[in-house]
Every structure is written in C-alpha cells, then in structure tokens.
Amino acid sequence: MPAAADVVVIGGGFAGLSTAWTLAKRGIRAIVLEREADIGMYASGRSAGLGRQLAEDDATSRLTIRGAELLRTEFAAAWSPTGGVLTFDDAALAQGYLERAARLGVAIETLERDAVVAMWPTLTDLPIGAAIRTPSDGVIAVKELLAIYATGATIVRGATVTRVEPAATGATVTTAQGAIAARVVVDAAGAWAGAATADPALASYKRHLFVLASEPVADAPFLWHLGARELYLRADHGATLASPCDAARIEPTDQQPDLVGESHLRAVLEIAAPDLADAAIVKRWACHRSFTPDRQMRLGRDPDRPWLVWAAGLGGHGATASPAVGERVADAVIAALA
C-alpha cells in the first residue's frame, strides 16, 4: 500500500469500483481499500442482478435509467436484454410508475394479467391489479461487471479501514495494513459507510435469495411484484432465482441465510404460486441493503469536510445504478481535487 494517494476509495463494491473505473477513464488512478480478500463480498457480489429502471422515486430512477443506458452500451458484456415486468396489487400504485416512466422518458407497455401468467405460468394466484413491461430492462452479470470495474483501480485487499481523520491536506486513512495520506477520500463502504469517520450509521436490512429447481419459460423477462407481499423472480441457468423481498433490520456483518427467510419465501409462494411453493431449493444466500434516513442515495461532497466524498446508501439499486453512481461521484472527486 502506498504512503499517499490523490484519491482513496473505501470499499470494493459497486459504488467504490464504479467510481474508480470512471476516474481512471478521466486520467485519475484511485487506490481502493477493500476489507476482504476479494471484491464485492457483501451487497454487490450477492445481488440478484435485476436491471430494473423504474424505481420508487424519480431521483433513484434517474440514476437507474442512466445506469442501464451505460450497461447496454459500455458494459454490454455484463448485460442480458431480457426486459422486465413490474406487477402490482394495487392499480393506483402502478399509476405512479406509469407517470414516472412518462416523465423520465422510459418506454413501457401495460399488460393484462393473462399476458403475465403466460410469461410466468407458475404465478397462477399472484394478485395482479396492474402490470407494466419495460422492454429495455435486463439482467446484469454481477461478477463480470465487478471485474470490469476493477480494471480501473489499484486494489489493496485485506485493508480494513479503522479510522479516517482530517490532515493538513486532505485526510489520513488508517487501515489494518497501515496508514495512507489522501487528498480526497471516497466513502463507499456499503453497510459500513460512515463508521470510519464516526458518522451516523446507515440502516441495514437483510434480504434472502434462493434458486429453485423450477425451469421458467424460455426468454421470460424478470418479474418483480410490488404490493403487500413483494416477490421477484428471474431465470437462472435453467432454474428460477426468487426472493421474498424480506427486510429484517440487522447490524452490518457477513449475512447468512436462515430458516426465517426460507419460511418467508414459502409463505409468499403458497399464496402467489402454489405449484412453486414446494420446489426444491438448490442454492440460497443472504445480503445487505443499506439506506440513508430519507432513502435517497448519498452521493457527492460532504458539506463540512472538503476532502470527503460519499458513495453510499444505494438501497438495493446498486447494480443497475452503478455506472451512473460512478459518473456522479467521480465528478465530485474531481471538483474536490481542483
């Protein structure tokens, strides 16, 4: 690890690596400090890879729309153009998404219930009050995307950051491997964002993902149901990846799947897809999703510390938004260096 660098990024997940990749394109090589032996070990590497553009609000959707645009072009090797379907219990909730798509210029199609069930025949009892298809959505190959981003950074692994303190020019970053002086520090530490600077912690939630021994219809778009009981599904190499969209509040750590998560999945499927409810589970895992108090991503320069730039609180949209996050945070870093 060098003794000094212009830019030090804390965290080797989507936020940190996309920032480093974008900075490298602009002629600035960042040092990425990753606590683990590999990149993307927590939220990023355990993502379902759903390239969903229409998010819960306009601000997040602008980032996911721009991110998907870049994924389809600059990162096409990590993108599969499957399309995506959002279904809703309540047609009134769907109306908000329809209006958001119109405001932000996302081409969509409305679907009848029969069309949704034709794509996902196991969802015989899913309570569908409305459905929207976004043909330009897709699925992201998470490991491939992280590997592309990693080409833009010098990564120091096993470098857990314990403290970041202001210095005469920038800050001193103390790690398990020693200290490094930085003109600018990017906090992209995921669920641990803010810990090294003694800032308030983000709210972290545990989510389970499962791969079921059930073969979906060929070329089916991913499906995300929004309502009282959320659920998402996508094809996964001849099987079905599913999540009950659970959200148990937890402390940041290496999340492991548990029986509560499996029971939650079975309960959701028993209502929405009885034929799928007893499918064998061939793989299971759990991850973090981390949020700021207002559930908006924290991106850009800190108002009180000119050497600190945030890339945190991606709230489960990190895979799709990451190229746009990298652009926005890189702009802030360059402004801080000026």
Side-chain angles (χ1 to χ4, degrees):
M1 187 168 65
D6 284 336
V7 182
V8 168
V9 177
I10 304 172
F14 279 133
L17 291 175
S18 64
T19 297
W21 188 89
T22 307
L23 285 170
K25 279 187 63 180
R26 301 179 187 182
I28 300 169
R29 191 78 176 181
I31 303 295
V32 175
L33 305 177
E34 169 52 46
R35 63 190 296 140
E36 300 297 338
D38 205 353
I39 57 176
M41 290 290 288
Y42 296 105
S44 298
R46 304 181 192 187
S47 166
L50 302 184
R52 171 184 161 188
Q53 294 172 84
L54 291 176
E56 298 79 9
D57 57 74
D58 283 16
T60 304
S61 296
R62 288 188 179 94
L63 289 163
T64 50
I65 291 164
R66 172 60 177 163
E69 177 188 359
L70 292 169
L71 287 164
R72 290 191 297 266
T73 54
E74 292 194 42
F75 302 99
W79 176 265
S80 296
T82 61
V85 172
L86 300 180
T87 58
F88 303 84
D89 287 355
D90 184 357
L93 178 59
Q95 185 60 35
Y97 282 78
L98 290 167
E99 294 169 0
R100 184 168 300 117
R103 279 195 302 273
L104 302 181
V106 178
I108 59 169
E109 307 164 356
T110 57
L111 299 176
E112 297 297 326
R113 189 180 196 285
D114 288 349
V116 176
V117 176
M119 297 171 186
W120 285 94
T122 52
L123 297 177
T124 52
D125 297 339
L126 185 69
I128 302 174
I132 297 170
R133 181 171 186 171
T134 307
S136 58
D137 279 353
V139 169
I140 301 159
V142 169
K143 291 185 178 180
E144 287 82 349
L145 182 58
L146 286 167
I148 294 169
Y149 286 151
T151 63
T154 299
I155 302 172
V156 182
R157 303 163 196 265
T160 301
V161 175
T162 56
R163 188 169 65 254
V164 180
E165 298 174 300
T169 55
T172 300
V173 182
T174 303
T175 82
Q177 295 191 28
I180 179 170
R183 290 176 60 194
V184 176
V185 176
V186 178
D187 192 337
W192 292 269
T197 50
D199 284 277
L202 301 183
S204 292
Y205 298 86
K206 183 176 182 176
R207 172 158 290 181
H208 281 81
L209 299 95
F210 302 88
V211 176
L212 305 175
S214 175
E215 186 171 359
V217 171
D219 301 322
F222 73 76
L223 183 144
W224 196 317
H225 184 68
L226 300 170
R229 290 175 175 263
E230 279 198 41
L231 170 73
Y232 63 66
L233 305 168
R234 73 163 175 84
D236 185 75
H237 302 95
T240 298
L241 186 153
S243 173
C245 299
D246 49 328
R249 184 71 183 266
I250 45 86
E251 294 298 318
T253 187
D254 182 6
Q255 296 301 323
Q256 296 299 316
D258 57 49
L259 292 177
V260 174
E262 181 176 338
S263 296
H264 190 163
L265 176 73
R266 298 294 190 192
V268 171
L269 292 177
E270 282 173 6
I271 293 172
D275 290 344
L276 196 58
D278 294 327
I281 295 173
V282 297
K283 186 178 180 182
R284 68 192 77 203
W285 67 98
C287 65
H288 292 113
R289 295 181 310 130
S290 300
F291 296 86
T292 63
D294 64 1
R295 296 216 158 199
Q296 298 295 302
M297 296 186 196
R298 186 176 296 165
L299 309 176
R301 297 182 72 179
D302 186 271
D304 301 316
R305 291 161 288 189
W307 47 267
L308 179 60
V309 175
W310 293 97
L314 274 57
H317 290 288
T320 311
S322 59
V325 168
E327 288 184 330
R328 186 172 297 186
V329 178
D331 287 343
V333 169
I334 290 169
L337 288 171

